[in-house]
Amino acid sequence: MPDEKPYTLYRGGRKKGKVPAARPQRAAQPTRTPEAPRRRRWWLWLTLTLVGALVFTLVWGFLGFRAFSSGVDGANERLPQSAKAQLAKRDRSLLSTPTTLLVIGTDGGRAPGRGDANRSDSMLLVRLDPETHRIAYLSIPRDLQVEIPGYGTSKINAANQIGGPALTLATVKELIGLPIDHVVVVDFDGFRELIDAIGGIEVDVPKPILSNKFDCPYKPARCGDWEGWRFAKGPQTMDGRRALVYSRIRTNQLDPTDSDVTRGNRQQIVADAVGDEIASLGTFLRLPFMGDELAAPLATDLSAWELAQIGWIRFRSSSSLRCRFGGTPSSASGESVLLGSEDNVAVASMWLGTSAPLAPPKGDLYGAGCTRR
């Protein structure tokens, strides 16, 4: 075997020294899967999900609004033309300017003895201000003595019995000295049906109540021992019947400071709760199936779109004001009346937002004033 030469031959010549060891091979790097396609798939699924949710919401909302609009058409037909003639003529959106709404709750219904009843058991003025996101309520006691146009002096609840919602609107406009833009009329049965249609309402009762005896739910033999309607303090769910009773209570046997004037606060609490429930997600999801039931108990001039605007204002509202007119208890022609005072003028200004709100005087069962919520 020939001697090994102490050099290595290369194509370009030779180089002295030891023969170098074989060049070490680099360890193979693991193959990386490109991230871009995976990321693109993730964003694709997210986009499709969002688009699908948006399409579902729009379609579901359209179906619900269509059902609701059908019910509102019937509610528009139930409001007499004479009442519509008393309303202010406006072509502006409710979302751009303040709006005044009168809610009239009558004592009529299908129950025995109520077929011919048509007095306004409750009157609630609602002021909606979309610019300040403020809702203000003003309760008018049903026994307040006022001038009924064309009929002289009487309790304000008599206006509806004499001339329906048209005369009630005329009387309230003269009382507050302002035009009224819209009106909603509902009787006892309709009020109960509305609350049952939305699945009940959540009400936080501020104090225990034991009412006087009215509308006993039992047979005559048991009604003799029945003490009255009871409401415990704290949050509770009310169906239509319980909510109606809670709104109507004039005497609390557990608290002598309650009166016909203070019950206006309960009516405002219930109105707030109804607004919360109508604007809730649960009602939205059920709207295609029961949208027409929401307006079925009502008579109103408001269109479905205008009611939707009120719902949006209600949803965005950041504060509310609860006001009430008051007066001095008296009697006229053998019946109890409430004589209005100058404080009611100041309360109207608070309700409009032109002056700071002041609470009713403590200890005054019939005092006027406003409280923030």
Side-chain angles (χ1 to χ4, degrees):
M1 182 175 182
D3 296 338
E4 293 184 0
K5 298 180 179 180
Y7 53 81
T8 305
L9 293 176
Y10 292 94
R11 181 174 298 179
R14 68 182 185 179
K15 181 179 179 181
K16 293 184 178 181
K18 295 182 178 181
V19 177
R23 182 173 297 176
Q25 298 293 327
R26 289 187 177 182
Q29 297 293 325
T31 303
R32 294 182 179 179
T33 303
E35 294 290 336
R38 183 178 298 176
R39 289 178 180 173
R40 284 196 294 269
R41 286 196 296 270
W42 185 81
W43 278 105
L44 176 62
W45 281 113
L46 178 61
T47 302
L48 290 175
T49 301
L50 293 176
V51 170
L54 178 61
V55 171
F56 171 81
T57 301
L58 292 175
V59 172
W60 200 259
F62 170 76
L63 295 175
F65 183 80
R66 186 175 179 180
F68 178 61
S69 180
S70 175
V72 173
D73 290 342
N76 294 157
E77 294 175 1
R78 285 189 290 274
L79 186 70
Q81 288 294 330
S82 56
K84 295 177 182 178
Q86 289 290 335
L87 300 172
K89 308 298 181 185
R90 54 177 291 167
D91 55 2
R92 296 163 295 175
S93 168
L94 275 70
L95 299 177
S96 61
T97 56
T99 303
T100 301
L101 166 69
L102 176 63
V103 181
I104 305 172
T106 71
D107 58 2
R110 295 183 296 272
R114 297 202 177 277
D116 297 328
N118 196 31
R119 292 165 298 184
S120 50
D121 189 72
S122 63
M123 281 161 286
L124 183 63
L125 279 163
V126 185
R127 182 78 169 176
L128 305 162
D129 192 335
E131 294 183 2
T132 60
H133 307 301
R134 174 181 177 271
I135 298 179
Y137 301 98
L138 175 58
S139 291
I140 303 175
R142 65 178 185 176
D143 291 340
L144 186 66
Q145 190 176 67
V146 298
E147 190 71 22
I148 298 178
Y151 293 90
T153 302
S154 184
K155 293 198 297 186
I156 194 169
N157 70 339
N160 211 74
Q161 185 74 47
I162 298 170
L167 188 56
T168 298
L169 282 163
T171 304
V172 173
K173 287 195 299 180
E174 186 169 301
L175 175 66
I176 63 175
L178 293 170
I180 296 175
D181 301 306
H182 300 286
V183 64
V184 175
V185 184
V186 60
D187 63 15
F188 282 173
D189 289 335
F191 181 84
R192 185 168 57 247
E193 291 165 3
L194 171 62
I195 293 178
D196 286 340
I198 59 178
I201 56 175
E202 296 293 325
V203 176
D204 189 359
V205 179
K207 59 186 176 182
I209 295 175
L210 174 59
S211 77
N212 56 322
K213 293 185 178 184
F214 71 92
D215 288 359
C216 176
Y218 305 114
K219 293 182 179 180
R222 187 177 174 184
C223 287
D225 298 327
W226 180 61
E227 294 181 315
W229 296 95
R230 289 185 178 273
F231 291 86
K233 178 182 178 180
Q236 50 200 274
T237 302
M238 296 184 186
D239 61 8
R241 185 180 72 167
R242 293 280 292 177
L244 176 61
V245 169
Y246 182 72
S247 301
R248 292 181 57 206
I249 293 173
R250 303 181 69 181
T251 301
N252 181 3
Q253 299 181 52
L254 304 179
D255 186 354
T257 62
D258 269 350
S259 67
D260 186 48
V261 173
T262 58
R263 78 170 183 150
N265 183 58
R266 288 194 295 273
Q267 294 170 353
Q268 293 175 14
I269 291 173
V270 169
D272 246 353
V274 171
D276 287 341
E277 193 60 36
I278 289 177
S280 69
L281 177 62
T283 300
F284 173 76
L285 293 176
R286 292 184 289 120
L287 203 57
F289 307 105
M290 44 76 75
D292 57 338
E293 297 178 24
L294 293 181
L298 309 177
T300 182
D301 68 294
L302 288 160
S303 67
W305 175 236
E306 288 170 331
L307 285 166
Q309 292 178 59
I310 290 177
W312 177 246
I313 296 171
R314 176 70 183 77
F315 177 77
R316 295 194 63 196
S317 64
S318 57
S319 65
S320 66
L321 192 68
R322 295 176 178 171
C323 304
R324 73 189 196 203
F325 278 163
T328 305
S330 184
S331 61
S333 302
E335 60 180 5
S336 299
V337 298
L338 195 66
L339 305 178
S341 66
E342 290 299 322
D343 292 340
N344 290 344
V345 178
V347 167
S349 178
M350 300 176 201
W351 172 68
L352 289 170
T354 56
S355 63
L358 295 174
K362 289 185 178 181
D364 189 347
L365 305 185
Y366 301 93
C370 299
T371 56
R372 291 189 184 277
R373 175 181 180 266

